[in-house]
Amino acid sequence: ADIASAGYLFSHEFSPGLTVRQQARVARQETDYREFYFNGMISETEMNYADFTVNETATTGAVDTQAQIDFDVAGRANTLLLGIDYSRMKADSSYGYDDSYTISIIDPDVSVTRPQPGAYYDGVQTIEQYGLYAHNQISLTDRLFASFGLRQTWVKNRFDDHLGGDDVSQDDS
């Protein structure tokens, strides 16, 4: 598998009591995997072997932007956090499997010709999420704090089926 990722963190105090932050990360993974493995005994003299493959490219990305506002109300210190975030995950995947290989334990020969096994899963799944949030923390005493928060999230989940054409989508919030 080949894996790469990058990200950053940004923070700036625009004025006393107002700080803006942003963090982001992107990653990509490419997998090209094949395994020929023992899959059990068929009889006292024959073993079953299976050929399994994975060919996948997966990407992810996320960004979170927030503003922190520090202020006093009735002599109580407040820290208000307002933010928006977004993330996306996409996996373009194909999995193959063939368990039709029989090998004798008396005269084992694992040098059999193995064509690429047939795909049992082939498609692209994409999940996107958007969110808005607010959180406030109030200092009631030097040691006692109260906090509350709100969040709204929207999620889109899509699967494009390259085998059967049974594309699926779901939106939630």
Side-chain angles (χ1 to χ4, degrees):
D2 293 326
I3 301 171
S5 67
Y8 69 86
L9 299 171
F10 166 82
S11 179
H12 183 73
E13 185 176 0
F14 285 93
S15 64
L18 175 60
T19 303
V20 174
R21 295 183 196 88
Q22 186 175 67
Q23 54 191 356
R25 172 152 309 278
V26 294
R28 178 182 175 96
Q29 176 177 324
E30 293 183 13
T31 304
D32 186 7
Y33 174 79
R34 188 168 189 180
E35 181 179 5
F36 189 61
Y37 64 91
F38 174 70
N39 196 34
M41 296 297 293
I42 295 172
S43 69
E44 289 184 16
T45 60
E46 293 179 310
M47 299 179 289
N48 175 247
Y49 273 76
D51 194 6
F52 175 69
T53 60
V54 174
N55 187 343
E56 180 175 75
T57 299
T59 56
T60 62
V63 62
D64 183 10
T65 304
Q66 53 188 228
Q68 178 178 320
I69 305 164
D70 297 314
F71 60 96
D72 287 343
V73 172
R76 303 288 180 221
N78 284 259
T79 300
L80 176 63
L81 192 64
L82 302 171
I84 183 170
D85 60 29
Y86 170 78
S87 65
R88 182 175 191 263
M89 185 281 299
K90 180 179 179 181
D92 186 348
S93 310
S94 177
Y95 305 147
Y97 184 79
D98 182 355
D99 66 353
S100 66
Y101 298 95
T102 302
I103 298 174
S104 169
I105 64 170
I106 296 169
D107 184 20
D109 181 9
V110 292
S111 64
V112 296
T113 302
R114 294 180 291 133
Q116 192 74 10
Y120 68 90
Y121 177 96
D122 189 356
V124 178
Q125 180 162 19
T126 305
I127 301 171
E128 289 183 286
Q129 174 184 298
Y130 305 84
L132 296 172
Y133 58 90
H135 178 265
N136 191 44
Q137 178 177 290
I138 303 169
S139 174
L140 300 174
T141 69
D142 289 343
R143 296 184 189 173
L144 182 62
F145 299 89
S147 66
F148 63 91
L150 300 169
R151 179 173 176 91
Q152 176 67 48
T153 302
W154 297 268
V155 179
K156 295 179 182 182
N157 188 347
R158 307 275 182 268
F159 180 71
D160 298 322
D161 184 354
H162 295 167
L163 286 179
D166 295 326
D167 297 347
V168 178
S169 67
Q170 180 175 337
D171 294 352
D172 292 304
S173 62

